[in-house]
Amino acid sequence: MQMKKDDFKYIGKRVIREDSADKVRGRYDYLADSLPQDTLVGIPLLSARANALIKEIDTAEAEKIEGVTILTFKDAPDNKYNSGEWFPGQNDFRDETVLTGHARHVGDRIGLVLAEDEKSARAALQKIRVEYEPLPAVVSLSEAQEMAHMLHEDGQRSFPGSLEYGDVEGAFAAASHIESDVIYTPKIHHAAMETHCVLAIPRPERVIKIHTPCQIIFGVQHAVAQVLPLPLSKIRVIKANMGGTFGGKQESVFEPLCAWAAWKLRRPVFINTNRGETMAATRTRAAALGRVTTALDGEGHILARKFDITADAGAYLTGTKKVMMAMGKKASRLYRIPALRYEGRTVRTSTTPAGACRGYGSPQIHTITEIHTDLMCRRLGLDPLRFRLENLVHDGDADPSGASNIGRARVIECLEEGARRFGWDECREPRLSADGRYATGAGFACCTHGNGYYKTVYHDMTQMSLRILEDGSAILRTAIHELGNGTTTALAQIVAETTGIDVSRITVTEGDMNFSSYDAGCQASRVIYVCGECARLVSEEAVKLLCAKASEMYDASVELHDGVLAAGGDKIEIGEAVRRIMREKRCSIEAHYEHAPENNPASFGVHFAQVTVDRLSGLVKVDRYLAVHDIGQSINRSFVEGQIYGGVQMGIGMALCEELDYSAEGIPKADNFDKYHMVNAPDMPEVEVMLIEDGEPGGPFGAKSIGEVCTVPVSAAVVNAVNRALGSSLAELPLTPAKIAAAAAK
C-alpha cells in the first residue's frame, strides 16, 4: 500500500545525524587519527616539471635521515592501468603507472618517501634532488589537437566518441533559424576539506588490506589488482571515514601506489598529502570547449542540435572519456530534440588529470547549452522562459538516444512555479544605477541528471541484509560509501519508516569486502534511488520474515504496526518476539535482498539568480538565489537543503572565480587556497529552496537524486544573469573581473 506523505514518521523529516556531535567537537576519527603503531608514513615525490624525462633522482642526503626509505620509478612495476576503471572488463585505455620516469604534468608521481613519521618524511623530501630533461608542454586545448601525441609513447592524439539519432541534416535543411555559440567551462579543483590519503596493510595469507576514504571500494580493488600479483579475493578494501570528495576520490589515485609500497616493504604504509599535493597530483573537473548549434522552426521549436565538444583529460586519460560521453548522453534528456549529433573528443594535456567531479559532465554540457539557449533567444527576439516551456521534456518522454525514459518529469512545474516564486516578470529587465556604474540583472537555467546506470553499458546492482536483533534494534549491512552527506542516516530513515523501529536504534554499515556484498559504488547519483530502494525492499523482507515466524510462534496472524507486533488482541515488543523465535525456532530474523533497478529516471532543477555587476571593477554580487528541484520525495529535508547550498556554492565558483590555470610551461598558477579563489560564506547569497515532490516510481517512497543535480544549472544561471545585466555575450568561464570589465566597457 502506497503511504501518503502525511503518514510518514521519518521520511522527509529533519533527522539529525548521529555523527554530527562528534564531528562538531572534533572527536570523529578520520583515517590519519588511528594508524597502526608500526606504520610508515609516505609522502609522494612529485614532478616539478610538466613534461620531462627523469634523468636522475639523488636521494643520498635524504637517506641520511634515520628511518627513511625512498622508492622511485626504478623500483616500481611498469604495469599500466586506468585509474577511472571500476570493474574488470571495461577495457578503458591504460596509460598510467604507480610511479613514472616520464613526468607528464607538475605533480606526477615519480617517487615515494617513507619514514616513521610525517615530519621526517617531509624533511627527507626537501633533500631530494631531481634532474630533468624537459620536453615541450602541451597546455591549451588548441595545442592538444596537434601535439597531444607527444606526451605519451602510445602516440594517441585524442580519444573520440559520438552519438547520433534522427535526421540531423534534413532538420537543418528545413530550419527557419540556425544559431551557434562556443562556450568554455574551466578546469576546477574539488576543494574537499579532507585531502587525499590511504592506508595499506599487508596481512598473512597473501592478503593486502586497504583503508581508504573512497567512493568505490570495488574500483580500488580492481585498480590494485592491476599492480599486485593477487586475485581480487586477496585484496580487502575497507571504506574509511571521509572528509569530503565531490567526485575527487571516485578514482584510484594513490591506492595502487600505497598497496604496492606496503606489499614490497611488508609494512603498513600510510600515504598522506597536503593541499598543494592534492591540487597538483589528484583529479580535477575536466575543462570543456563546446560548440552547440541549434536548428529551429519558425515557431521557435527545436528541430535538431549539433555538438562539437573537446574535453581536457589532463596528463592521463583516467575516466575523462566516460565524462565526455556522459555529456553527450545527457544532451537529449532536458529538451525535446528530434534529431541530434554529438561529436566529442578527449585530449591529454600537460596538466593535472581530470576525472569525476560532481555532476560527471552534466555541469559542463548544461552550462554550454543553457548559455547558448539564452544568447540564441536574445538574438532571435524569443522569450527565454516561453521558449523553454515549449521545448522542455514532458512526463514519461522516451530518450531518443536509447537511454531509459525520463520518468515522472516535473521540470515544467519547476520552471513555472519557480518563475512565480522568484518574481521573474518583475525582475527580468536589467536595471542601471543612477550613476551608471552598477547593473542589475536576473537569469535562470534548467538542468537534468540521472539516477544510476540502468540502460547504460554499465551494470547497476546492490545487495543488503537487515538483521533485527534480540533487543528489537536492527543493523543494515551494506557496501555503501558515506561521503559526509548523511547517506547512512538517510538509509536508517528508510529502514525505520518500513519497520517502525526507532531510527536511533538502527545501524547502517559501510563497505568492507570481507563482509559486504557487491555494490557499484557512490557514483552516477544512484545511492538514494538504487541503494535506498534496496534498503526499503530488504526491510520489507525482514518484516515479512518476522511476521511469518511470529505467526507460527503465537499460532495467530501477526502484523507489524508502528514497531510493535499485533497478534490478535495482544501487542508484542519486537525484541521479545525475536528472542523467543531464536530460542524456539532456532533461526534469526535476517533478510537478504539484491536489487537491480528497472529504470533510470531523471531528476530536474531550475535555478534563478539575480546579480549586481560593478561595471568599473568587474566584480559580481549574487543578490538573490532560488533553487527549484524535482526530487520525487525528500528523505531528509535538512540533507537535501544542505546539498543544494553546497551545490550553489560550487556552481557560483565555476561561473565567476574558480579555475586551475597553468603557465605556458605547464606550471600551475595556484597550489593552495591563497591563489585558488572560491566563493566564501560572506559572498554567498541566501539560497531559497523549493522542492517539487511527486513520488518517482522505483525510488524509496518516491525519492530520487539531489546531490549532483543541484550544482548543474548554477553556473549558467549566474552567467545568464550577468549577460542580461550587461547586454553582453560572455561565454568563457569563469567570468573574472577583467573579462566582465572589458565587456562592460564596450
Side-chain angles (χ1 to χ4, degrees):
M1 183 178 69
Q2 182 69 39
M3 298 179 68
K4 298 179 180 178
K5 291 184 182 182
D6 293 343
D7 296 332
F8 290 149
K9 183 176 181 180
Y10 295 105
I11 298 301
K13 310 306 182 195
R14 299 180 185 275
V15 174
I16 297 174
R17 295 168 50 170
E18 279 199 324
D19 62 7
S20 57
D22 286 336
K23 285 184 173 178
V24 168
R25 292 181 171 89
R27 294 198 298 245
Y28 195 73
D29 271 358
Y30 293 95
L31 190 54
D33 297 320
S34 53
L35 300 178
Q37 191 170 10
D38 59 342
T39 298
L40 289 171
V41 176
I43 305 298
L45 172 62
L46 304 176
S47 171
R49 299 290 184 270
N51 187 20
L53 300 177
I54 311 302
K55 296 184 68 176
E56 184 65 35
I57 299 179
D58 183 354
T59 62
E61 290 300 315
E63 289 174 330
K64 291 178 181 178
I65 298 175
E66 185 178 356
V68 166
T69 299
I70 299 172
L71 301 174
T72 74
F73 67 91
K74 296 179 181 179
D75 305 299
D78 58 4
N79 307 37
K80 289 191 175 181
Y81 60 93
N82 184 300
S83 58
E85 266 192 352
W86 49 270
F87 189 77
Q90 287 181 337
N91 298 322
D92 289 337
F93 191 86
R94 297 178 178 181
D95 58 3
E96 191 172 353
T97 55
V98 291
L99 297 174
T100 180
H102 180 176
R104 295 173 173 91
H105 68 101
V106 172
D108 209 350
R109 303 181 302 269
I110 60 176
L112 181 65
V113 180
L114 300 121
E116 301 294 331
D117 56 75
E118 183 167 345
K119 183 178 179 181
S120 298
R122 291 201 174 277
L125 186 71
Q126 297 303 313
K127 294 180 179 294
I128 296 175
R129 297 294 175 259
V130 181
E131 184 181 350
Y132 299 92
E133 180 183 323
L135 300 170
V138 180
V139 177
S140 71
L141 289 179
S142 59
E143 289 177 329
Q145 298 292 321
E146 303 299 325
M147 299 171 58
H149 63 288
M150 298 171 56
L151 296 178
H152 288 264
E153 292 75 12
D154 55 56
Q156 288 280 129
R157 291 178 180 270
S158 67
F159 300 86
S162 63
L163 63 88
E164 182 171 346
Y165 62 81
D167 183 4
V168 175
E169 294 306 324
F172 271 82
S176 298
H177 306 284
I178 297 175
E179 292 290 325
S180 184
D181 288 289
V182 176
I183 292 97
Y184 175 80
T185 64
K187 188 184 258 311
I188 285 176
H189 175 51
H190 296 83
M193 291 179 69
E194 179 191 43
T195 55
H196 282 240
C197 58
V198 56
L199 170 66
I201 306 171
R203 305 296 297 173
E205 300 179 3
R206 290 180 57 80
V207 169
I208 188 78
K209 183 168 70 168
I210 303 157
H211 298 259
T212 172
C214 68
Q215 292 181 228
I216 313 174
I217 58 172
F218 291 92
V220 171
Q221 182 191 53
H222 170 59
V224 171
Q226 308 309 301
V227 175
L228 295 185
L230 295 173
L232 296 177
S233 61
K234 296 293 186 179
I235 302 169
R236 179 185 178 188
V237 185
I238 302 168
K239 161 64 173 56
N241 291 337
M242 178 183 281
T245 169
F246 309 115
K249 295 167 187 169
Q250 179 169 319
E251 298 190 2
S252 300
V253 179
F254 290 114
E255 286 89 347
L257 172 61
C258 191
W260 165 74
W263 190 256
K264 180 179 178 64
L265 300 175
R266 305 307 300 171
R267 289 273 302 272
V269 171
F270 173 63
I271 291 181
N272 199 17
T273 59
N274 58 29
R275 180 61 57 185
E277 291 158 348
T278 290
M279 291 180 74
T282 61
R283 297 293 179 264
T284 70
R285 185 186 295 285
L289 180 66
R291 176 178 290 278
V292 55
T293 306
T294 302
L296 303 175
D297 67 15
E299 302 299 316
H301 297 112
I302 298 174
L303 298 177
R305 266 185 171 165
K306 295 178 182 178
F307 292 88
D308 187 270
I309 304 290
T310 302
D312 181 0
Y316 296 97
L317 179 61
T318 66
T320 309
K321 183 181 178 181
K322 292 199 283 279
V323 172
M324 181 271 291
M325 287 305 300
M327 292 168 64
K329 293 171 183 176
K330 291 163 182 172
S332 59
R333 292 174 69 85
L334 182 60
Y335 294 104
R336 286 178 159 176
I337 305 175
L340 181 145
R341 177 179 297 152
Y342 179 89
E343 296 288 344
R345 68 208 56 82
T346 301
V347 296
R348 292 176 295 192
T349 60
S350 307
T351 64
T352 307
C357 186
R358 194 177 194 174
Y360 209 81
S362 284
Q364 293 98 314
I365 197 65
H366 291 306
T367 296
I368 289 168
T369 56
E370 287 299 274
I371 293 174
H372 161 69
T373 296
D374 252 40
L375 296 177
M376 175 180 67
C377 286
R378 188 203 305 172
R379 291 192 294 263
L380 297 178
L382 301 174
D383 182 308
L385 189 141
R386 179 54 49 193
F387 174 85
R388 287 175 170 87
L389 289 174
E390 292 180 357
N391 285 281
L392 285 166
V393 292
H394 288 233
D395 186 33
D397 275 1
D399 183 337
S401 73
S404 68
N405 77 67
I406 61 172
R408 190 165 286 175
R410 293 294 179 261
V411 64
I412 291 175
E413 288 89 333
C414 287
L415 181 53
E416 290 177 331
E417 296 188 28
R420 282 193 289 271
R421 176 78 67 89
F422 194 72
W424 173 254
D425 288 340
E426 291 75 38
C427 67
R428 58 183 295 168
E429 295 301 324
R431 301 189 305 273
L432 274 178
S433 62
D435 60 3
R437 177 171 175 176
Y438 298 97
T440 300
F444 67 92
C446 306
C447 74
T448 185
H449 197 64
N451 283 266
Y453 279 124
Y454 175 74
K455 225 171 182 186
T456 73
V457 297
Y458 307 113
H459 59 271
D460 198 346
M461 66 190 78
T462 191
Q463 186 177 109
M464 298 179 185
S465 70
L466 181 71
R467 183 177 173 222
I468 301 177
L469 304 176
E470 302 85 83
D471 63 351
S473 61
I475 181 165
L476 180 70
R477 294 190 180 93
T478 81
I480 64 165
H481 305 66
E482 166 67 68
L483 308 186
N485 55 342
T487 294
T488 52
T489 300
L491 293 193
Q493 288 177 251
I494 292 168
V495 174
E497 193 69 59
T498 308
T499 63
I501 298 171
D502 189 275
V503 69
S504 66
R505 290 168 59 78
I506 297 167
T507 294
V508 179
T509 69
E510 295 187 64
D512 179 340
M513 287 180 169
N514 270 20
F515 306 105
S516 304
S517 297
Y518 182 79
D519 180 76
C522 189
Q523 56 178 327
S525 284
R526 60 181 291 278
V527 173
I528 285 298
Y529 184 77
V530 179
C531 301
E533 179 66 355
C534 188
R536 187 187 71 81
L537 292 169
V538 76
S539 299
E540 284 188 348
E541 292 300 308
V543 169
K544 289 178 186 176
L545 177 62
L546 174 62
C547 290
K549 293 298 181 182
S551 295
E552 295 175 14
M553 182 71 60
Y554 296 104
D555 195 23
S557 177
V558 176
E559 295 182 347
L560 181 65
H561 298 289
D562 296 325
V564 177
L565 292 168
D570 296 329
K571 292 186 177 181
I572 307 156
E573 294 296 326
I574 290 178
E576 178 186 338
V578 170
R579 292 192 297 273
R580 186 174 171 188
I581 290 168
M582 293 178 71
R583 286 195 307 268
E584 299 182 23
K585 293 291 182 180
R586 293 184 296 173
C587 69
S588 61
I589 302 301
E590 183 166 7
H592 301 262
Y593 200 94
E594 185 167 69
H595 174 57
E598 294 298 329
N599 198 17
N600 178 3
S603 294
F604 294 94
V606 181
H607 286 203
F608 297 81
Q610 183 169 299
V611 303
T612 297
V613 183
D614 185 335
R615 293 163 53 86
L616 182 62
S617 69
L619 294 173
V620 176
K621 182 177 185 297
V622 183
D623 302 311
R624 296 173 56 212
Y625 204 93
L626 170 65
V628 189
H629 279 280
D630 161 28
I631 65 165
Q633 167 66 51
S634 62
I635 298 298
N636 186 308
R637 177 75 187 220
S638 294
F639 296 174
V640 170
E641 291 173 350
Q643 288 294 298
I644 294 172
Y645 298 153
V648 171
Q649 186 269 349
M650 289 186 77
I652 293 175
M654 177 174 165
L656 299 178
C657 55
E658 289 193 46
E659 181 175 26
L660 287 167
D661 201 7
Y662 300 81
S663 71
E665 295 75 31
I667 308 300
K669 295 182 179 179
D671 61 1
N672 215 320
F673 287 156
D674 57 350
K675 293 185 178 66
Y676 183 82
H677 302 298
M678 295 188 294
V679 178
N680 295 322
D683 301 314
M684 277 289 290
E686 290 292 329
V687 178
E688 184 181 359
V689 173
M690 182 179 182
L691 300 182
I692 307 296
E693 296 180 280
D694 186 5
E696 180 69 49
F701 303 100
K704 53 185 177 180
S705 67
I706 185 62
E708 293 190 271
V709 70
C710 60
T711 203
V712 174
V714 184
S715 294
V718 172
V719 171
N720 288 343
V722 171
N723 278 333
R724 289 180 68 85
L726 297 177
S728 56
S729 300
L730 293 165
E732 182 182 344
L733 278 62
L735 305 189
T736 59
K739 294 175 187 175
I740 291 173
K746 291 182 180 178

